[in-house]
Amino acid sequence: MIAPVLRIALWIGIVDALAGAALLGFLYTPESNVLMLALSVLLVVLAAGLLLVSSTSAAHGLVHRQPPWASVGAAARDLPLVVVVLVVIGVICGGAGFFESWWMARGGEFDPAAIAAGDITRTGWVHSAVHWIVVLIQWVLVPAWFATALAWIAGYDRRDVLTMKWLTAGLDWRLLVVTLLGVAVFVWLPWHYVYWRPRALPASTIEAVFIGAKLAAMYMLSQVAWALSLWTAARMVPPPAGPLP
């Protein structure tokens, strides 16, 4: 388990970093003429393509028991199907965020209604429950669904993916537990130390190196969390022959 997860995390981390470099190039490209405008569009398309290929090839490699870099061609062919999945997941994620915004805008109306209906004055738990339900949808269910969809794209027929069967498959308790623990341990917990620095650290080049190393470590830990979800989702798809690595 450890070797494939670390290999996938390193692969996704490197490819996503290249996508980030393409986006950085886009930000520093002056759109002063048609050529520069075309270059900006090309950089955005390249960044989006790299982001999609990194995870898609990782899932394909896990399902077919091969290195992710050997699955780049298959991942590129599956990109239209991945885009369809992203649209579905984006609607779900955006809908959850919209509901939370709607609830926050009208939450004050719920409290007097609860008092009038049953003399209920302690309603703070309701607002907290709404917030945490949305958090679970966006940070646990959505990654679990996306990981499952990528594994299904790699291992099943296109028809099974388009019929949205991966939505129910993504509710597997093992995948949800792994995704929840991955987000909590490798994303949420390290993020609490994003502004931390030793008091004795001098305000010099050493501080810049320390901050860069800290952010790089947090970046790779988040990739480990995502790789764990992909690995768990891939194990739910029968491989062509033999067990997964």
Side-chain angles (χ1 to χ4, degrees):
M1 168 187 174
I2 297 178
V5 167
L6 292 180
R7 181 172 65 238
I8 290 300
L10 185 60
W11 167 255
I12 297 177
I14 292 174
V15 178
D16 286 358
L18 293 176
L23 286 177
L24 188 63
F26 160 74
L27 293 176
Y28 283 94
T29 300
E31 299 175 356
S32 55
N33 51 51
V34 176
L35 181 60
M36 291 295 100
L37 183 61
L39 179 60
S40 297
V41 174
L42 179 62
L43 288 172
V44 171
V45 173
L46 176 63
L50 288 173
L51 288 173
L52 294 179
V53 166
S54 64
S55 295
T56 307
S57 60
H60 189 276
L62 286 170
V63 171
H64 293 271
R65 300 183 294 115
Q66 63 185 22
W69 48 87
S71 299
V72 172
R77 291 190 297 270
D78 290 334
L79 285 186
L81 203 56
V82 176
V83 172
V84 173
V85 168
L86 278 176
V87 170
V88 175
I89 292 179
V91 170
I92 296 174
C93 186
F98 174 80
F99 174 75
E100 184 179 23
S101 299
W102 176 85
W103 180 266
M104 291 178 61
R106 291 166 175 79
E109 302 173 7
F110 174 80
D111 296 338
I115 295 174
D119 197 23
I120 301 174
T121 57
R122 297 183 178 181
T123 58
W125 66 272
V126 177
H127 304 294
S128 298
V130 169
H131 169 72
W132 284 109
I133 288 173
V134 172
V135 168
L136 288 175
I137 292 174
Q138 294 182 332
W139 288 92
V140 178
L141 282 177
V142 164
W145 275 325
F146 191 39
T148 303
L150 292 179
W152 274 52
I153 289 173
Y156 290 120
D157 186 75
R158 176 177 305 216
R159 179 182 56 190
D160 290 333
V161 177
L162 293 177
T163 52
M164 307 301 170
K165 294 180 180 179
W166 49 270
L167 284 172
T168 54
L171 298 177
D172 183 89
W173 69 270
R174 291 163 296 184
L175 177 59
L176 294 178
V177 169
V178 169
T179 303
L180 176 61
L181 291 177
V183 170
V185 175
F186 295 111
V187 179
W188 179 79
L189 187 60
W191 186 253
H192 281 66
Y193 297 93
V194 66
Y195 296 112
W196 175 82
R197 61 182 293 276
R199 293 184 178 180
L201 193 67
S204 61
T205 307
I206 298 177
E207 181 182 17
V209 172
F210 172 80
I211 293 175
K214 179 180 64 175
L215 293 178
M218 295 175 63
Y219 170 74
M220 287 309 303
L221 286 175
S222 66
Q223 302 298 349
V224 170
W226 177 229
L228 283 170
S229 295
L230 286 175
W231 181 82
T232 306
R235 286 186 62 86
M236 298 162 54
V237 176
L244 284 170

